[in-house]
Amino acid sequence: PASETWGINFLRAIRRKNETVLWTGYRRSQGIFRPQDAGTLTGLSGLSQGIGVEVVPYGILERSEVQLTGESDVSVSPDAGVDISYSITPSLKASITINTDFAETEVDQRLINLTRFPLQFPEQRDFFLEGSTIFDFAPASRVDPFFSRRIGLDEATGEPIPIAAGGRILGNYGKYDIALLHVRTATTDDVNREDFSVARVRRYIGDESTIGVIYTRRSTKDGDKLDVPVRDRHTLGADLEWATSNFAGDKNLQFQAFFVLHNSAFPSDDSTDIWDRSTRGIRINFPNQPWSGHVSYREFGDSYDPAVGFNRRNAFRRVNPRFGFSPQFPNSDVVQEVEWSIWFEHLTDLDFKLMTQQLRVTLAEVRFMSGDEIELDVSRGFERLTDPFDIRGDGSIVIPMGDYTSWEMQARAETAEFRSVSAEVQIETGGFWSGRRTEYRLEATLRPLAGIELAPEYVRTDVNLAEGKFSTDLFRFQGTLDLTTSLFFSTIVQYDNLSKLLGMNNRLRWIIKPGTDLYLVYNHNWVRQDSRFATDQNAGTVKVSYTHRF
C-alpha cells in the first residue's frame, strides 16, 4: 500500500536452491495497475511445494425467506463440503469436489431478449472456470459442444441444482492439453440425478497449430422411465486450428475446421441421420495490418442439439465474410488508428432458401492516442419469419409470418478506461420487424478514490410496431470497495420493467489469512406491484473455507 506496487510471481517447479524466478511488477496509476519492467528473484533456498496435495473444506449456513401469497416461508440450512486437488506434475492437476457450493458466485448480468433465440450467459463459477480455456472448441466459429452452465443449473430458470460430487484432470502434458471432467448432480423435487462426463484433448503441431477432439456424455437416472424416455446422450467433435506467421513473408494466416455430431436422445428421433444431428464448418482468417479479413462457412443440422452444449439456431447454412482496412498513424499526436470494414452474413435453410441476411458497414471507427474511441455503423437486415413471433413473451404483441427488411444506424463513443471517470454511450435506431426501434445505452465507471469503483448502466429501448408499441428499461449498478488488502465488498443492483423484478446481490469477502476465506452473501429480490415494491425472496449466507497444503 505504501508504494502501491504489486508483483505477480510465476513459480513453477521450484526444486533447486537459489532458483531464479521471473516476476512482473504492476504499479497503480490513477486507479489502474500498469506493468513495470520484469525482473528476477533469487535466493529462494528452502522453498518447498510439499507433495502437491491441497485440501479445501468449507462450511456454510444459509437462511432464506420466500413470500408466498402474503405468507412467509423461512428455511435455515447448514451444509459442508470439500475440494481436494493433487499436482500430478507442475502443469497437470487432478481435483475432486464433494457437495460443491457456489454461494460466493456473482449473479448473472440481467439482459432483455427481444430476439427469437436464447441468450448465452457466461460461466461464473470458479470450479468450472479453472482451466476452462482447454475446453475451448473452434472458438471463432461460435460452436459450443460443451457449455459448463448445462451442469448444475436449471436450463429454464438458471436456478442452481445441487452438485453431489465431481472430479477432473486439467493441464498440459508435453505437447498435449488435457481436460477430463465428471460431475454428478443430486436428485431434487424437479429433476432426476444426472451424470455429466467431458473429455477434451488438444495436441500442438509446431508452434502455432493444434488439432483436438472433444467428447461429452449426459446420463439421466431412470431416463428410460420418464414420461418422455431419454437415452444417454453422447457428443463427439474434432477441430483443427492451423496458423502461420510467415505467409507471404511476414503475414499471419489462420485456418479452422470443425465437425460435431451426437446420437439421438429420444427413441422417436431414430429416423434422423448423422447429417441432421451434426454441425460442420471451416474458417479462413487474415488478421494483419492494415488489411484484414476472414470468411467462414458453417452448417447446422435440423436436429442438432448437444446435450451438454449450447446452440442458438438449427437447420441453416451460413456464409460470413468480413474485410477491413485499418491504417495506423504513428506520426500523429491525436489519432492512433482508423478502421473501415464490411461485415456480411448470408444464412439460408438447408434447402438454400434465404432466411437471414445482414450487411454492416463501419463508416469509421477511430481510436485516439488518448485511448478514446468513436464508431459509426450502418446496416441492412433481412429476416424471413416462418412462425409468428411473440416478442414480449406474454402474447400481447405477436409479429406475423412474412419477410422483413430494415435499415439501421449505430453510433458509439467510449472514453479511455484509465480515467477516473470513463463512459460509453451508444445509440441504435432504424427499422425493426414491422416498425422501428431505438435503443440508448449508457455505461459509466467512476473511481473517486483508490479502491472504490462504481459502475452504473442504463439501457432504454423504444419499439413501435404495426402490432403495438412498448418500451423497455434496464438498470444495473455494480460497486466494489476494497476496504483493506484482505477485505473486499461488492454489490450489484438490477431492475428491468418487463419482469418488474428488482434484485440486489451483496458480497463481503475477508481473507483471514492466505487460503482461509470468509464470505458473507446477502441476496434480496423485490417485485413491483402497482407503484410499490414488495419482497419476493431474500437469502443470507455465511461461508468459510480453509486451505491446507501437504
Side-chain angles (χ1 to χ4, degrees):
S3 65
E4 292 196 320
T5 298
W6 287 46
I8 294 180
N9 302 332
F10 298 90
L11 306 180
R12 291 176 60 95
I14 308 304
R15 300 184 184 278
R16 300 186 301 274
K17 292 183 178 180
N18 300 317
E19 181 80 24
T20 297
V21 180
L22 295 177
W23 68 280
T24 302
Y26 291 81
R27 182 174 180 83
R28 194 201 306 262
S29 175
Q30 297 183 346
I32 300 297
F33 288 103
R34 302 177 181 278
Q36 293 191 140
D37 294 337
T40 58
L41 297 178
T42 58
L44 296 178
S45 59
L47 183 62
S48 172
Q49 288 186 305
I51 62 175
V53 176
E54 185 175 274
V55 180
V56 186
Y58 81 86
I60 187 171
L61 179 66
E62 181 180 44
R63 180 192 182 277
S64 61
E65 179 180 1
V66 179
Q67 299 288 339
L68 300 171
T69 62
E71 297 183 2
S72 177
D73 180 17
V74 179
S75 63
V76 178
S77 56
D79 209 347
V82 63
D83 295 335
I84 303 172
S85 62
Y86 170 64
S87 296
I88 303 171
T89 72
S91 56
L92 188 65
K93 185 167 74 172
S95 304
I96 296 174
T97 182
I98 300 174
N99 201 22
T100 315
D101 175 80
F102 305 108
E104 72 279 10
T105 301
E106 184 178 293
V107 297
D108 288 326
Q109 180 176 346
R110 193 174 302 182
L111 299 172
I112 294 178
N113 186 9
L114 298 181
T115 74
R116 295 170 289 158
F117 310 109
L119 298 176
Q120 185 176 16
F121 291 89
E123 179 61 78
Q124 308 222 54
R125 299 168 293 177
D126 287 341
F127 178 79
F128 293 104
L129 285 174
E130 184 178 354
S132 60
T133 55
I134 300 178
F135 289 107
D136 288 347
F137 182 90
S141 294
R142 297 178 64 184
V143 54
D144 297 290
F146 171 60
F147 182 48
S148 58
R149 286 180 64 103
R150 298 295 293 271
I151 304 174
L153 289 174
D154 185 277
E155 296 171 18
T157 65
E159 292 297 317
I161 298 172
I163 292 179
R168 67 184 179 189
I169 296 177
L170 292 172
N172 174 268
Y173 186 78
K175 294 184 178 181
Y176 293 87
D177 285 337
I178 300 172
L180 306 174
L181 173 69
H182 182 81
V183 173
R184 170 170 290 183
T185 58
T187 300
T188 69
D189 295 337
D190 300 318
V191 297
N192 290 20
R193 189 192 77 198
E194 290 192 297
D195 288 302
F196 298 83
S197 302
V198 186
R200 170 69 162 157
V201 179
R202 182 170 56 202
R203 188 188 191 280
Y204 290 89
I205 304 172
D207 296 329
E208 302 177 81
S209 305
T210 63
I211 187 170
V213 295
I214 191 168
Y215 166 78
T216 73
R217 170 181 174 267
R218 182 171 183 174
S219 176
T220 304
K221 181 185 178 183
D222 298 329
D224 57 338
K225 301 177 183 178
L226 298 176
D227 294 339
V228 179
V230 59
R231 299 167 173 160
D232 287 0
R233 286 141 287 173
H234 306 271
T235 301
L236 179 65
D239 64 330
L240 169 68
E241 299 266 359
W242 176 86
T244 178
S245 55
N246 301 313
F247 178 73
D250 60 349
K251 301 299 182 183
N252 297 300
L253 184 66
Q254 301 166 349
F255 172 79
Q256 182 182 92
F258 68 88
F259 186 85
V260 182
L261 61 95
H262 59 77
N263 69 326
S264 54
F266 307 100
S268 58
D269 293 337
D270 285 344
S271 60
T272 62
D273 59 25
I274 289 179
W275 212 246
D276 296 326
R277 292 180 273 102
S278 65
T279 177
R280 50 272 170 193
I282 59 174
R283 187 176 191 270
I284 299 175
N285 187 27
F286 185 75
N288 294 283
Q289 283 279 354
W291 295 99
S292 64
H294 73 252
V295 59
S296 64
Y297 174 78
R298 72 192 71 156
E299 296 179 355
F300 279 66
D302 56 11
S303 299
Y304 177 71
D305 184 20
V308 198
F310 179 85
N311 186 40
R312 296 184 69 247
R313 187 171 186 172
N314 278 351
F316 68 84
R317 307 174 191 267
R318 179 179 184 266
V319 177
N320 175 214
R322 176 199 173 274
F323 303 96
F325 178 62
S326 52
Q328 295 184 340
F329 301 88
N331 297 323
S332 173
D333 295 331
V334 179
V335 177
Q336 177 185 3
E337 182 181 53
V338 178
E339 180 175 345
W340 297 272
S341 65
I342 298 175
W343 182 93
F344 182 67
E345 177 188 39
H346 184 83
L347 188 149
T348 72
D349 64 15
L350 296 177
D351 294 323
F352 298 98
K353 184 176 182 179
L354 181 63
M355 302 299 294
T356 297
Q357 191 177 78
Q358 298 285 337
L359 173 65
R360 183 173 69 245
V361 179
T362 298
L363 301 177
E365 182 177 358
V366 184
R367 303 178 185 93
F368 297 95
M369 297 298 294
S370 61
D372 304 326
E373 296 183 13
I374 58 173
E375 180 180 357
L376 181 63
D377 299 331
V378 61
S379 61
R380 176 191 181 275
F382 169 84
E383 289 285 349
R384 172 166 287 127
L385 199 58
T386 57
D387 295 294
F389 174 36
D390 182 2
I391 191 170
R392 287 174 55 99
D394 58 5
S396 60
I397 298 179
V398 178
I399 300 172
M401 297 183 294
D403 295 347
Y404 298 87
T405 302
S406 61
W407 287 87
E408 184 178 73
M409 292 198 67
Q410 172 185 306
R412 179 182 66 88
E414 179 180 355
T415 63
E417 294 185 358
F418 70 83
R419 305 180 190 276
S420 57
V421 178
S422 60
E424 179 178 355
V425 179
Q426 181 173 305
I427 300 175
E428 297 180 20
T429 184
F432 186 65
W433 297 113
S434 60
R436 293 186 60 84
R437 176 186 73 103
T438 301
E439 179 176 289
Y440 312 88
R441 179 184 298 270
L442 173 63
E443 301 178 40
T445 303
L446 296 83
R447 305 179 183 90
L449 297 170
I452 300 177
E453 183 170 293
L454 310 175
E457 177 183 357
Y458 175 67
V459 182
R460 166 83 178 193
T461 305
D462 295 319
V463 179
N464 191 343
L465 305 174
E467 297 77 25
K469 62 180 181 179
F470 64 95
S471 297
T472 69
D473 294 287
L474 173 63
F475 172 78
R476 185 173 189 264
F477 171 80
Q478 182 170 0
T480 59
L481 176 61
D482 299 341
L483 299 167
T484 70
T485 56
S486 59
L487 188 62
F488 314 96
F489 174 77
S490 66
T491 184
I492 298 177
V493 179
Q494 302 182 101
Y495 172 76
D496 72 272
N497 67 331
L498 289 190
S499 69
K500 298 183 179 180
L501 191 67
L502 173 64
M504 179 177 64
N505 168 252
N506 298 310
R507 269 188 320 165
L508 180 70
R509 181 188 180 189
W510 177 25
I511 304 176
I512 301 172
K513 64 179 182 179
T516 302
D517 297 303
L518 170 67
Y519 294 93
L520 302 179
V521 181
Y522 179 70
N523 295 310
H524 200 126
N525 291 331
W526 297 266
V527 62
R528 186 172 183 177
Q529 299 175 347
D530 298 325
S531 59
R532 58 182 293 270
F533 286 94
T535 294
D536 179 54
Q537 59 182 3
N538 61 76
T541 304
V542 179
K543 180 178 179 180
V544 179
S545 64
Y546 168 75
T547 302
H548 185 75
R549 298 178 177 88
F550 296 90

